[in-house]
Amino acid sequence: MKILVVNAGSSSLKYQLFDMDTQDVLAKGLCERIGIDGRYKYSAAGKEEIKGDYPMPTHADAIKLLTKNLTDPEIGVISSMDEIDAVGHRVLTAGDIYSDSVFIDDTVKKVIRDCIPIGPLHNPANLTGIEACAEVIKDVPQVAVFDTGFHMTMPPKAFLYAIPYRYYEEYRLRKYGFHGTSHRYVSGKAIEMLGNPHAKIVTCHLGNGSSCAAVKDGKVIDTSMGLTPLEGLPMGTRSGNLDPAVLGFIGDHEGKSASEIVTMLNKESGVLGVSGVSSDFRDLEAAANEGNERARIALDMFIYSVRKYIGAYAAAMGGIDAVVFTAGIGENNGRIRAAIMEGLEFLGFELDQEKNLKTREQADVSAPGAKAKTLVIPTNEELVIAMDTMNIVLQRA
Ligand code: AMP
């Protein structure tokens, strides 16, 4: 079975074609600047990456280009799009309507549309990707996998905000959490590595956007992102948690509207805002090493915040068996992992410092005998989407 996984953004579209018999990625690509001019990258297993400019006024044009590349006699991997059994879409949120992945029909599309107020940037783009596939790759079954889905097991005490209850009743205003597909993948792998389905795990997805989740018995009981991906840890450009009165203060002093302030909190804040250097942790570390004090403080704020979530979630779960690190920073940066774990020996953690600094692949980087484990697990959200899509298509057959 061959499954195409699509992640459509407002002006971009990423894709991977999976052979589900082997779980191998046959080809992958990225279309960018859709609606502007159009740029793309494409690579197939064992072949050199190609990239270039290509006019892409709409997402349908991006799907036409991926069709052209995938079926090209030279660089392609299939002879016709009929070989594709289904398309799995990464969709930001279906609110609290769907937690599991679903076959896309008109009802599902309506739910995704109705949830645009919760995911104003992503849900419209995800819908555009779905419509574009329907237009170009006709009659292929399509499945939606929701980024918020895995978090839907949170109890009300974790997902409600302490504001008048009517806001929840009228607008479904609550914590939804994000990166769910990633937390689901790495917590599942951690449970396998630990050999304990009841393990108490804190998964730390640390990338450009970052979030932590508390996973007990394979289910999320709390997570750091909220109604939107702005809550929680300080990130590349997002502030994470702050006193909501900060919005009123800035509004009063600078005459900015709430939405202008929220844009500033999303795009000009986080480690970029504090350091004034970069949202990229590689630049940040380099600047801190050269003596840039604000870059050092921004890094320290991030590290301190992740450590506090680990402690809080250990308390929420009544113990902790493992911390999992994943995504760009979590997978690649042993120095930041070590800094986060420093001082957590009282919870049973101890690192094999040398192994931790070297590891970029799936590994247990704990010292021998550590009671609680520190695990590095590269995430694979696309594989989760492909697996869910395959299972839904097989169930319907
Ligand atoms: P992601 O959003 O998962 O792609 O992660 C992006 C973040 O990961 C950026 O802040 C990068 O600086 C960081 N990152 C990616 N690769 C590395 C690396 N090799 N060393 C340190 N940080 C990295």
Side-chain angles (χ1 to χ4, degrees):
M1 182 177 272
K2 292 195 178 74
I3 305 278
L4 180 67
V5 172
V6 170
N7 182 357
S10 54
S11 66
S12 69
L13 189 141
K14 276 191 238 167
Y15 62 93
Q16 292 194 3
L17 180 63
F18 280 87
D19 179 344
M20 296 312 290
D21 299 335
T22 56
Q23 296 190 355
D24 286 338
V25 176
L26 299 174
K28 62 181 176 183
L30 167 65
C31 300
E32 286 178 297
R33 298 176 63 85
I34 300 170
I36 305 166
D37 39 20
R39 216 172 272 168
Y40 75 99
K41 276 190 218 165
Y42 168 88
S43 62
K47 295 183 187 165
E48 215 168 290
E49 179 178 282
I50 57 159
K51 51 184 165 185
D53 299 330
Y54 192 87
M56 283 183 259
T58 67
H59 284 69
D61 297 301
I63 302 284
K64 283 180 195 155
L65 175 64
L66 78 83
T67 301
K68 183 171 161 316
N69 287 337
L70 289 173
T71 57
D72 185 277
E74 296 265 306
I75 55 167
V77 288
I78 49 177
S79 53
S80 124
M81 292 302 269
D82 293 343
E83 286 183 43
I84 292 176
D85 296 278
V87 180
H89 290 269
R90 179 178 188 170
V91 177
L92 186 77
T93 186
D96 50 9
I97 308 294
Y98 301 119
S99 52
D100 293 333
S101 304
V102 288
F103 183 83
I104 299 173
D105 57 15
D106 287 344
T107 310
V108 171
K109 280 194 257 185
K110 181 174 182 315
V111 170
I112 299 171
R113 201 168 298 117
D114 289 347
C115 289
I116 287 176
I118 308 171
L121 298 179
H122 296 84
N123 269 30
N126 302 150
L127 267 175
T128 307
I130 292 166
E131 301 290 5
C133 282
E135 185 185 325
V136 180
I137 324 171
K138 293 190 172 56
D139 298 330
V140 66
Q142 301 199 68
V143 166
V145 180
F146 301 105
D147 216 32
T148 51
F150 187 53
H151 299 300
M152 285 301 115
T153 46
M154 278 187 287
K157 68 180 176 188
F159 74 65
L160 278 177
Y161 292 120
I163 57 176
Y165 195 72
R166 73 173 183 86
Y167 289 106
Y168 171 59
E169 288 179 313
E170 283 178 34
Y171 304 109
R172 314 313 286 170
L173 207 151
R174 50 162 281 178
K175 178 188 275 265
Y176 288 101
F178 297 88
H179 295 140
T181 317
S182 177
H183 289 291
R184 179 174 144 204
Y185 178 79
V186 299
S187 61
K189 282 270 168 206
I191 285 170
E192 272 174 33
M193 287 169 82
L194 299 166
N196 176 9
H198 305 295
K200 294 166 181 158
I201 303 167
V202 177
T203 47
C204 305
H205 177 111
L206 309 180
N208 215 355
S210 295
S211 65
C212 294
V215 182
K216 188 178 177 187
D217 299 322
K219 293 192 169 65
V220 172
I221 64 154
D222 205 347
T223 192
S224 59
M225 283 180 167
L227 172 72
T228 75
L230 185 54
E231 190 180 343
L233 300 162
M235 309 174 212
T237 63
R238 294 182 203 138
S239 63
N241 293 339
L242 43 73
D243 180 344
V246 167
L247 273 88
F249 185 98
I250 295 174
D252 289 347
H253 282 75
E254 300 201 341
K256 289 194 169 125
S257 69
S259 68
E260 282 172 330
I261 299 170
V262 169
T263 302
M264 178 275 288
L265 295 175
N266 266 305
K267 301 203 164 150
E268 298 165 31
S269 301
V271 295
L272 169 68
V274 173
S275 69
V277 172
S278 173
S279 62
D280 190 301
F281 278 68
R282 284 167 287 203
D283 302 337
L284 210 59
E285 268 197 311
N289 290 340
E290 282 166 15
N292 184 315
E293 188 57 23
R294 274 168 50 192
R296 169 55 53 204
I297 293 169
L299 265 177
D300 285 348
M301 284 171 76
F302 176 78
I303 289 162
Y304 179 58
S305 186
V306 180
R307 191 189 301 141
K308 283 202 294 186
Y309 268 104
I310 295 171
Y313 287 167
M317 293 188 290
I320 185 161
D321 297 303
V323 161
V324 178
F325 287 105
T326 195
I329 302 160
E331 291 168 29
N332 294 300
N333 197 320
R335 294 173 302 280
I336 291 185
R337 288 194 297 259
I340 291 168
M341 300 311 288
E342 205 180 296
L344 294 183
E345 293 78 15
F346 77 99
L347 290 173
F349 292 102
E350 200 188 332
L351 284 185
D352 177 331
Q353 296 290 351
E354 204 176 317
K355 188 172 180 189
N356 171 58
L357 285 180
K358 281 195 212 139
T359 293
R360 281 160 188 258
E361 297 188 337
Q362 184 172 318
D364 178 348
V365 295
S366 321
K371 228 176 97 241
K373 304 293 179 197
T374 307
L375 308 175
V376 178
I377 305 180
T379 195
N380 196 342
E381 295 161 270
E382 290 77 15
L383 180 61
V384 175
I385 296 171
M387 295 287 284
D388 274 14
T389 303
M390 178 179 76
N391 290 334
I392 286 173
V393 169
L394 289 175
Q395 274 163 23
R396 287 174 56 88

